[in-house]
Amino acid sequence: MSELSAWIGQVSGEDAVRDLESSWDDYSNHHEPVATLFGAFDTGKSSILRRLLVDSGAPVPTWLTVSARHETYADNIAEVDGCLIRDTPGLSPEGVDARSVKNSHVARSALGLTDVLMVTVNPQLSTGERPELLDVLAMGWPSDAVWFLISRADEGGIDPSLDPAGFGEWSDQKRGELRESLELAEDARIFVIVPDYAGLGAFEPDPDPTVWDESRSWDGIAALHTALADLSSEDISEHRSAARSRLWTQAVAIRLPELQAALEELTISRDSADASVQRRNIFLKQIDSLDDAADAALSGAIEDAIRRAANSPQIDADSIKMAVEPVLEEWWQKQHIGLSRIRRDALQAFEQQRESRGWSTLESVYRSFVEPDKPTMSKPLNFIPRLTKVAQTAQAGLEGADQILRSRLAQKSPEKAKDILESVGKLGVAAQIAGAALPAVTQLASFIQDEVEAHQDGARQREEREQARRAVADVARDAARNAMNTLRPEIAALKEEIAAQAVSEAEVQRLRDEVRLKGDLLARGRSLIAR
């Protein structure tokens, strides 16, 4: 049992192990055989026990009602014919409401705390509970440790008081049908009983045994009394040993569906977390690509603009400024547009993921990690900050994309730059970039103009212009460096914001570890109960 108890400790904690050990100690302290009534709702379990007690002259306990609405093992055992009879709540294999689930759990838990199981079925025999009964029969019971009680047999269509012979034939037929349905051996103990014919004692709080005198010859209760009396004198050591094995095996089996459900939720959560990380990586890669492309394109564009201005007939600071400033402005707005589009696409992608079932499951699982003691029915924890709506500046950049394309005309017609820039509307930061770069441009323009005016001969002019071109490259690099230094904080801020939308690597790894752990536990649990 050590492997089984160790497994339960891993799944449910050491308190669960101690509770099982305590239940076993309480049960094993009974020297009398314990027989448990086990079956679906409305199969007459409580009526059977009530009839047995009244026939034996024992008082009917207050907890015993026809509906068997009790919750614990502590007070639902009564002594009859030298045996202890336990009543259990009705089994409801297909029930999903809280009461059905709890009652079924209590009934199943009794399977490991009994020497004999008395399975009750109605005259229509087992229907929805048949698969479960087959599983119960496969639990390794000693021979003659499972009895079947076809209860309320007077409701099967033949009135035993009017047609005893026909009732006897019907009873034999039902025994055969039950053997076939549950694949029982020919010597399986099957009792056909009528615990309360016509409900004569149902409304009496303390009925007199004589109320059933007319039905005793055919109601089957006498045979059940005899079987219980015989059981009381038997050696039950084999039954106790089998019960201990069932207790721990059943405790594992009961937890397997819950573990399977937990594993499925964890798997969904892990996949959702992985998907969020993949989304994050895609958008971060797009930002890196934009960064690389922006850096590579800018210095060449500025240098080209300055060279065109320097080669124009009129060389002065204004002409070079009018050539460079639109290039910087267009470049800055293009980068803003690119960043804004990435941000918009990220917003849509992460919002779409948050609407999925997987994300809802992930948030519930995350809550169980960080707040395990709080009810799981609480509103899921939104543990990742949401992207805010696209910033006003970025949105303006997207809306003005068609106008920005027009600024390319400035490269061909510098005189139109002013009008175009005014129609587009400068971004403040772009103006700052131009402001940082243009002093060098102004100095360069002055140098070019002075040198051209001082040396009119062709050879000297070509040499001076070549010197000017080298200076152009330096100015272009300075301007590009200033521009990129201004852009990169925005790139870094967007990367940080997008990275915050994904589950952290630590949480993803934690989910992966939990999936692996639960998967291993599930496989090991199934292996343990299959032995």
Side-chain angles (χ1 to χ4, degrees):
M1 304 304 162
S2 59
E3 286 186 88
L4 295 168
S5 62
W7 186 91
I8 292 170
Q10 283 186 276
V11 172
S12 301
E14 291 305 316
D15 286 346
V17 175
R18 283 189 288 271
D19 288 344
L20 286 166
E21 290 174 341
S22 177
S23 297
W24 175 257
D25 290 341
D26 291 342
Y27 163 70
S28 61
N29 285 332
H30 294 304
H31 299 295
E32 306 91 338
V34 176
T36 297
L37 290 161
F38 180 85
F41 284 105
D42 207 26
T43 54
K45 296 187 302 297
S46 297
S47 296
I48 294 169
L49 181 53
R50 188 167 180 260
R51 170 69 184 277
L52 291 171
L53 288 168
V54 172
D55 279 355
S56 302
V60 177
T62 56
W63 53 260
L64 180 58
T65 65
V66 174
S67 59
R69 293 178 182 174
H70 43 81
E71 302 294 341
T72 68
Y73 291 133
D75 59 354
N76 64 349
I77 293 181
E79 185 173 354
V80 177
D81 299 321
C83 296
L84 297 177
I85 310 297
R86 171 181 286 126
D87 194 12
T88 61
L91 187 67
S92 181
E94 298 177 357
V96 294
D97 60 285
R99 180 180 175 186
S100 295
V101 171
K102 183 175 183 179
N103 285 348
S104 294
H105 176 76
V106 171
R108 293 178 185 119
S109 298
L111 295 172
L113 297 171
T114 190
D115 301 307
V116 169
L117 189 68
M118 297 192 294
V119 179
T120 60
V121 296
N122 59 33
Q124 290 74 42
L125 307 182
S126 58
T127 52
E129 69 272 19
R130 179 178 177 274
E132 178 149 356
L133 292 181
L134 290 173
D135 289 340
V136 168
L137 292 173
M139 286 182 178
W141 299 83
S143 60
D144 203 32
V146 181
W147 303 353
F148 292 89
L149 281 58
I150 301 177
S151 182
R152 299 166 56 178
D154 53 332
E155 300 175 8
I158 298 178
D159 191 328
S161 66
L162 301 176
D163 185 5
F167 179 72
E169 292 176 1
W170 176 88
S171 299
D172 290 340
Q173 177 185 340
K174 286 298 176 179
R175 289 188 183 96
E177 290 176 5
L178 187 61
R179 287 191 184 94
E180 182 178 357
S181 173
L182 297 179
E183 303 172 9
L184 304 176
E186 283 297 320
D187 60 349
R189 304 192 72 170
I190 302 175
F191 300 85
V192 179
I193 58 176
V194 181
D196 187 16
Y197 174 63
L200 296 176
F203 302 103
E204 293 289 336
D206 190 16
D208 190 281
T210 59
V211 74
W212 296 297
D213 283 350
E214 293 185 7
S215 66
R216 292 186 187 282
S217 62
W218 43 258
D219 64 18
I221 297 298
L224 188 56
H225 275 294
T226 300
L228 289 170
D230 291 343
L231 175 63
S232 68
S233 62
E234 293 179 6
D235 180 5
I236 59 171
S237 57
E238 181 184 1
H239 294 70
R240 289 290 161 94
S241 176
R244 182 168 177 78
S245 177
R246 283 197 309 277
L247 174 68
W248 291 100
T249 301
Q250 181 67 4
V252 171
I254 286 174
R255 287 164 173 79
L256 287 179
E258 297 175 3
L259 185 60
Q260 175 69 47
L263 176 59
E264 290 173 0
E265 283 203 344
L266 281 167
T267 302
I268 292 172
S269 300
R270 179 204 61 192
D271 293 345
S272 185
D274 280 337
S276 76
V277 171
Q278 291 172 11
R279 282 182 172 86
R280 177 200 67 190
N281 292 342
I282 288 172
F283 289 115
L284 293 182
K285 187 174 181 179
Q286 289 179 12
I287 294 173
D288 287 338
S289 297
L290 183 147
D291 187 353
D292 293 341
D295 195 7
L298 181 58
S299 60
I302 294 175
E303 185 174 346
D304 186 57
I306 295 175
R307 280 178 175 171
R308 285 198 304 273
N311 289 326
S312 65
Q314 180 181 356
I315 304 173
D316 56 26
D318 286 341
S319 65
I320 295 179
K321 285 168 62 177
M322 292 298 290
V324 172
E325 192 171 23
V327 170
L328 285 171
E329 184 70 28
E330 180 185 1
W331 174 86
W332 176 258
Q333 293 209 34
K334 280 184 178 179
Q335 307 321 311
H336 246 239
I337 289 172
L339 292 175
S340 297
R341 283 177 175 153
I342 293 173
R343 194 170 189 272
R344 178 198 61 194
D345 293 344
L347 172 67
Q348 293 173 349
F350 285 114
E351 286 297 320
Q352 182 180 21
Q353 185 184 28
R354 281 188 172 92
E355 294 173 359
S356 68
R357 173 177 173 265
W359 191 264
S360 177
T361 301
L362 172 60
E363 290 190 332
S364 295
V365 169
Y366 183 81
R367 175 181 288 279
S368 71
F369 280 159
V370 299
E371 298 177 345
D373 297 330
K374 292 192 176 181
T376 56
M377 294 177 64
S378 300
K379 184 178 179 181
L381 176 68
N382 186 11
F383 67 99
I384 289 180
R386 293 172 180 263
L387 278 168
T388 56
K389 292 185 177 180
V390 179
Q392 182 178 358
T393 301
Q395 185 62 41
L398 285 175
E399 293 173 352
D402 58 334
Q403 293 178 303
I404 291 172
L405 296 177
R406 293 168 53 201
S407 68
R408 293 178 180 174
L409 296 173
Q411 296 179 10
K412 297 179 180 179
S413 305
E415 66 277 6
K416 296 182 180 180
K418 182 176 180 181
D419 293 338
I420 293 173
L421 288 175
E422 287 177 353
S423 67
V424 173
K426 288 185 181 181
L427 297 176
V429 178
Q432 293 174 14
I433 297 172
L438 289 181
V441 171
T442 302
Q443 183 179 1
L444 172 64
S446 175
F447 167 75
I448 294 173
Q449 183 66 30
D450 291 345
E451 293 300 326
V452 170
E453 291 176 353
H455 304 283
Q456 296 297 323
D457 63 284
R460 188 65 176 171
Q461 184 176 356
R462 284 192 297 273
E463 181 181 346
E464 295 296 340
R465 284 187 178 275
E466 185 58 33
Q467 185 178 356
R469 287 189 181 95
R470 289 195 295 270
V472 164
D474 292 337
V475 172
R477 282 192 294 271
D478 287 343
R481 184 165 52 251
N482 287 333
M484 288 303 302
N485 288 341
T486 308
L487 179 65
R488 285 204 167 105
E490 297 209 13
I491 290 176
L494 180 57
K495 291 177 74 172
E496 182 178 352
E497 187 177 15
I498 288 177
Q501 305 309 302
V503 183
S504 70
E505 294 290 349
E507 292 297 341
V508 173
Q509 187 59 49
R510 188 175 180 182
L511 285 167
R512 289 171 182 158
D513 292 342
E514 286 289 329
V515 167
R516 184 166 52 253
L517 174 62
K518 291 291 192 297
D520 291 344
L521 282 172
L522 186 64
R524 189 151 58 89
R526 288 171 174 166
S527 175
L528 288 172
I529 65 174
R531 293 179 182 178

